[in-house]
Structure formats: structure tokens, C-alpha cells
Amino acid sequence: MVDTQFSDRRLAALYDLFCPWDERGDVTFYLPLVMSARSVLDVGCGTGALLRRAREDGHGGRLCGLDPGVGMLEVARECPDVEWVLGDLASAPGWSRAFDLVVMTGHAFQGLLGDDELRDALAAIATALTDDGRFVFETRNPLVREWEDWDVRYSGEVVDPTGAVVRCVCEVETPVRGDLVSATHTYTGAGWERPLLSRSTLRFLGPDALAGFLGEAGLVVAERFGDWDGGPLTDTSPEIITVARHPRGERDGRAALAVTVMDAPPSPSP
């Protein structure tokens, strides 16, 4: 099931207001990678902000966004010169060696909840990559237990294009057991007939588990980072940023990624 905040057009249109571009460290990391790749697949592309910016900045190659959220894709399709596909990796076209870069941003990877779902998704990504292509994604570091302050971090209000105030209240379901964390987001707006409720569940996997699933798909971890500035992964790092590739392309890819990350602008301060 797709979360209501992604399937409902009204809530999807608010996503970039609640998560503005200039407050997201991840986009400053991913954008140079996208700009340096000839063909890019953004899995879980949401409103398409990353690919839209890449096109605006002059990317002339193939840009394809995939997302199962109808509302999100309706927003994304306001940019007509990017290929937008409604669906997930299980229902998507059988891409074979079609993309130099596959990304999953915004912690979309954590929406793959079951082992079989995760294996199927990674197998599809491995097939979609060119021989020297890269799969780059991030997950939150479970050791940091970031969900403990989501009620503050992800609660707030924005002003929509009509001038109305919309408020979101986030509540994490406790106690948290295992590697799945669920939360509800309740949206209320002036003039709305009733609040809109969206429930999300995310999976928190550590680096060893991630490497194991990637290995089953025939991919290897070429590089890892712990933050958007390219710092090393430690137990206190907020992110597990993973660069994976086919083994045959591992050596050349490390050098290329190092150059790209070094060229990236620094992340904005929180």
C-alpha cells in the first residue's frame, strides 16, 4: 500500500514545502552524480525534484523517474521533459543495462520492508544498470535511533499556494521492536472537511545486512559514507550512504565517484 501522503494529490503537492530543496543535504550530494551520468533512473522519485533540477541545470541525457504514488507522479509530470513512470520495480518495464546511475533518495530504500521485496527490487536494479553503472542510495543509521525525535522533526506547518496554513503532526508508534518503525502523520488545513491521516513504516538495516542483500543481487559495495559531506561511516553517523556496482566495474567506479563527491558543493547547515 502506498502511503496517503504520496498517493493523495493534495498532500503530494505539499511535500516540497515540508521538505524544501535548500534544507536537504541529500540533493547536494546526488545532483552532481546525476549530472555526470548519461542515463539516470530515480526509484521512488516523489515529486521529481532531483530530476527536474538536473534538467534545468542542463542535463541532456535520459532522465527517468519511477514512483508508485499517483499524487507524487501528478506533481512530477508538471515537468514534461523527464520520463515519468507510475509503479514500482516489480511492475516497471524490464530495463536491461539501460542506466548508468540508479538512485533512491529521500530514504525511499527504507520502504522496502520484506526480504523478498528487497531482493526483487535489488535484482531489478542490478539488471537495469550498465556494466559500469552505479546504484547509490541512503538509509538512516539504526544505531542513532533517529525516530526518537521524529515527533518534533517531522511536525510543523507550511503555507500552501492558496495562502492556507496546513499543519502536520507526526507520532511514532511505540515501543519499537525489530527493524521496522511505524509512524502516523496527521494533516489538517483551514477549510478542510476533515484531517488526512497517513501511516508509514520504514525498515532500518545496518551496513552488514545491506551488503548481504546487495551481494545476493550480484552487487558489491564500492563506497560508503556517513554524511552528505562524504564523511566516513561511524556508529554515530546519521546516514548509511551506499554506492554499489557490479564487481566488474568496481575499480574504475571508485575513482570516478571520489572525483564527483569532491566536486559537490558543501551541504547547507541545518
Side-chain angles (χ1 to χ4, degrees):
M1 294 290 293
V2 178
D3 298 350
T4 303
Q5 60 186 330
F6 305 140
S7 61
D8 184 277
R9 176 65 171 80
R10 179 166 49 178
L11 294 184
L14 298 172
Y15 182 85
D16 291 332
L17 295 176
F18 279 106
C19 303
W21 177 276
D22 58 3
E23 295 181 11
R24 291 182 56 182
D26 60 336
V27 293
T28 64
F29 179 91
Y30 283 108
L31 184 58
L33 302 180
V34 172
M35 296 301 295
S36 66
R38 293 166 297 179
S39 53
V40 182
L41 173 63
D42 185 353
V43 179
C45 65
T47 62
L50 177 62
L51 299 186
R52 284 189 282 115
R53 177 60 67 91
R55 190 65 86 201
E56 291 169 1
D57 288 356
H59 193 291
R62 183 182 185 187
L63 298 176
C64 180
L66 173 70
D67 199 283
V70 174
M72 287 294 198
L73 259 292
E74 288 181 0
V75 176
R77 284 173 174 155
E78 294 175 2
C79 175
D81 55 352
V82 173
E83 180 183 350
W84 305 111
V85 180
L86 177 64
D88 55 21
L89 287 165
S91 62
W95 291 304
S96 178
R97 299 187 179 185
F99 297 101
D100 299 309
L101 177 68
V102 176
V103 298
M104 292 186 76
T105 70
H107 303 105
F109 187 91
Q110 291 185 254
L112 300 170
L113 303 182
D115 287 358
D116 290 341
E117 180 185 13
L118 184 50
R119 291 187 179 104
D120 290 345
L122 290 175
I125 289 170
T127 300
L129 284 174
T130 58
D131 288 350
D132 59 351
R134 291 173 288 172
F135 172 41
V136 188
F137 66 99
E138 88 284 340
T139 63
R140 298 175 177 90
N141 186 351
L143 296 179
V144 178
R145 300 177 63 85
E146 182 185 286
W147 60 84
E148 292 180 344
D149 70 355
W150 281 359
D151 60 329
V152 175
R153 181 180 302 190
Y154 295 119
S155 295
E157 60 184 35
V158 298
V159 178
D160 73 13
T162 71
V165 174
V166 178
R167 178 163 181 77
C168 175
V169 175
C170 176
E171 297 177 283
V172 177
E173 298 178 10
T174 56
V176 171
R177 297 187 178 92
D179 57 17
L180 298 180
V181 178
S182 296
T184 58
H185 296 79
T186 304
Y187 295 86
T188 55
W192 290 19
E193 293 182 3
R194 64 183 185 282
L196 290 178
L197 180 68
S198 181
R199 184 177 185 274
S200 303
T201 299
L202 299 176
R203 189 176 187 184
F204 285 73
L205 293 175
D208 291 342
L210 292 170
F213 281 112
L214 288 166
E216 290 183 35
L219 299 172
V220 296
V221 176
E223 199 69 84
R224 276 205 183 108
F225 305 101
D227 58 52
W228 299 118
D229 292 324
L233 175 63
T234 69
D235 288 350
T236 59
S237 298
E239 306 285 347
I240 304 172
I241 305 166
T242 302
V243 181
R245 61 188 312 113
H246 293 294
R248 54 186 173 274
E250 181 179 5
R251 180 177 299 178
D252 294 339
R254 286 186 178 180
L257 180 74
V259 172
T260 305
V261 171
M262 288 175 62
D263 289 342
S267 301
S269 301

